[in-house]
Amino acid sequence: MKRPTTFLMLLIVASILLFFLLNLLLGSVSIPLRSVWSILWGSTDESVIWQNIIWKSRVPQALTALVAGAGLSISGLQMQTVFRNPLAGPSVLGISSGASLGVAFVVLLSGALGGVALSKLGYMGEVALSIAAIVGALSVMALIVYVSQKVKGNVTLLIIGVMIGYVASAIIGVLKYFSVEEDIRAYVIWGLGSFARVSGDQMFLFVSIMAVLIPLSFLLIKTMNLMLLGDGYARNLGLNIKRARLLVISCSGVLVAIVTAYCGPIMFIGLAVPHLCRAIFHTSDHRILMPATLFAGASLALVCNLIARMPGFEGALPVNSVTALVGAPVVASVLFRKRKSELSE
């Protein structure tokens, strides 16, 4: 790793630490830095209200944003590599749509069939949502994996994934039509995405699962570098194309499934961060891009969570609105600058 690359990587890591601290400091309730620091070190001298805000709200949100941003960014990089398509993202194969469909069945039918809206069940309702999202996402992923073994071209697989997304949206539309208003509202709120939904034991489980999955995805770095060479060259170098595609898609799909289950469908981060990292580091080498997207995704997610909870807003803004508003102009400017430098050469 060259010296400028190391410096840039350290800069991104430093930004994660800075934004994590700001996530603990800023919010609708102002807490001084000294008090935050003493609470983190286990002091019981500070206000009980402040302790609860830090430990039960801000720390879980910041950790969830950090881990979810890292997972989605790696997933997006893997999808863009497999399909060699700059518009490919974590949701491209309909896995997020599968999670949304699973949640729609549970949320939208609970009031219509059982007479009790899921949103009234509190913690049990949140657990039911997570399980439904995981089942829906993994079901679609299993279908995609089966289809990937039957078709040869990446484009065909991409089209099938998009069609699965359309079918899921159509079924969700039908469910909405027959659902009660309270359930529709609960489903729409889930669909807006939030890092605040995960807390307590759920947060510990979510972070633990992602702490296993993210390092495992780094085992595919060599495979992804070979895939960049094209199917012909990669095959000549001994790579089993079908097996490699299956592994990368499965890894990406599981990451998306888990994040969507706990946080809802978080858009844009997985699509944007790999482009940002390629523009910043001027490389396609996954030995650099994988850690770079991990750190940059975590940093961007922390920024979006910070903006969503900024003082002055009632409650919190939807994360999906913030991710698009923050990320789109940044990515557009990076791509325009890159294009301009290519034309000037």
Side-chain angles (χ1 to χ4, degrees):
M1 198 181 286
K2 296 175 185 176
R3 187 170 294 173
T5 303
T6 307
F7 174 73
L8 288 170
M9 203 75 78
L10 289 172
L11 206 61
I12 297 172
V13 172
S15 74
I16 293 175
L17 298 173
L18 174 64
F19 293 131
F20 191 91
L21 181 61
L22 288 175
N23 268 268
L24 302 185
L25 278 171
L26 301 178
S28 54
V29 176
S30 179
I31 303 176
L33 176 59
R34 181 185 56 78
S35 299
V36 170
W37 189 255
S38 62
I39 289 169
L40 290 176
W41 282 102
S43 171
T44 54
D45 297 334
E46 302 294 338
S47 164
V48 175
I49 296 173
W50 286 359
Q51 289 180 49
N52 286 335
I53 288 171
I54 294 295
W55 287 118
K56 294 186 179 179
S57 176
R58 293 185 185 178
V59 168
Q61 274 191 50
L63 280 175
T64 301
L66 190 153
V67 174
L72 289 173
S73 301
I74 288 173
S75 175
L77 178 64
Q78 289 174 331
M79 286 296 183
Q80 289 171 15
T81 302
V82 168
F83 295 108
R84 291 193 284 277
N85 186 331
L87 293 178
S91 58
V92 74
L93 290 180
I95 294 167
S96 294
S97 299
S100 299
L101 183 60
V103 170
F105 271 115
V106 173
V107 174
L108 299 177
L109 289 181
S110 63
L113 299 179
V116 180
L118 197 74
S119 54
K120 290 182 178 178
L121 297 181
Y123 178 73
M124 289 304 294
E126 292 292 335
V127 172
L129 284 185
S130 301
I131 293 170
I134 289 173
V135 170
L138 294 182
S139 299
V140 170
M141 200 188 80
L143 179 62
I144 290 292
V145 166
Y146 173 76
V147 171
S148 71
Q149 294 175 315
K150 301 294 180 183
V151 300
K152 288 185 177 179
N154 286 336
V155 176
T156 307
L157 187 61
L158 201 61
I159 292 169
I160 290 169
V162 172
M163 291 304 107
I164 288 171
Y166 281 129
V167 171
S169 298
I171 296 171
I172 290 167
V174 173
L175 291 173
K176 280 182 180 178
Y177 181 77
F178 290 106
S179 298
V180 297
E181 188 176 331
E182 194 174 354
D183 285 340
I184 294 172
R185 184 176 180 276
Y187 177 76
V188 169
I189 290 171
W190 178 86
L192 293 172
S194 174
F195 297 129
R197 200 175 283 124
V198 186
S199 60
D201 294 338
Q202 270 193 308
M203 187 207 70
F204 179 75
L205 183 60
F206 173 62
V207 173
S208 300
I209 293 170
M210 295 299 284
V212 173
L213 291 175
I214 289 173
L216 283 177
S217 65
F218 276 71
L219 298 176
L220 296 170
I221 287 175
K222 187 178 178 182
T223 300
M224 290 164 69
N225 274 340
L226 287 173
M227 291 176 87
L228 284 179
L229 300 172
D231 290 356
Y233 279 112
R235 198 176 283 111
N236 289 338
L237 291 169
L239 185 69
N240 184 325
I241 300 297
K242 271 194 173 181
R243 183 170 170 272
R245 186 170 64 174
L246 181 67
L247 280 172
V248 177
I249 288 173
S250 299
C251 180
S252 176
V254 172
L255 283 170
V256 174
I258 299 300
V259 173
T260 307
Y262 282 95
C263 306
I266 306 294
M267 304 299 177
F268 196 82
I269 289 177
L271 173 66
V273 171
H275 288 298
L276 280 171
C277 290
R278 287 189 196 98
I280 292 169
F281 290 92
H282 304 288
T283 183
S284 296
D285 187 352
H286 287 86
R287 289 175 299 177
I288 295 171
L289 283 180
M290 282 288 273
T293 50
L294 187 156
F295 296 139
S299 184
L300 183 61
L302 285 169
V303 171
C304 292
N305 186 56
L306 186 63
I307 293 171
R309 295 191 305 101
M310 282 295 278
F313 295 135
E314 282 291 324
L317 291 174
V319 170
N320 279 331
S321 302
V322 179
T323 53
L325 287 171
V326 170
V330 176
V331 175
S333 66
V334 167
L335 294 177
F336 278 128
R337 197 178 298 121
K338 186 181 177 185
R339 176 69 178 158
K340 194 175 179 182
S341 65
E342 286 173 356
L343 290 172
S344 63
E345 286 177 359

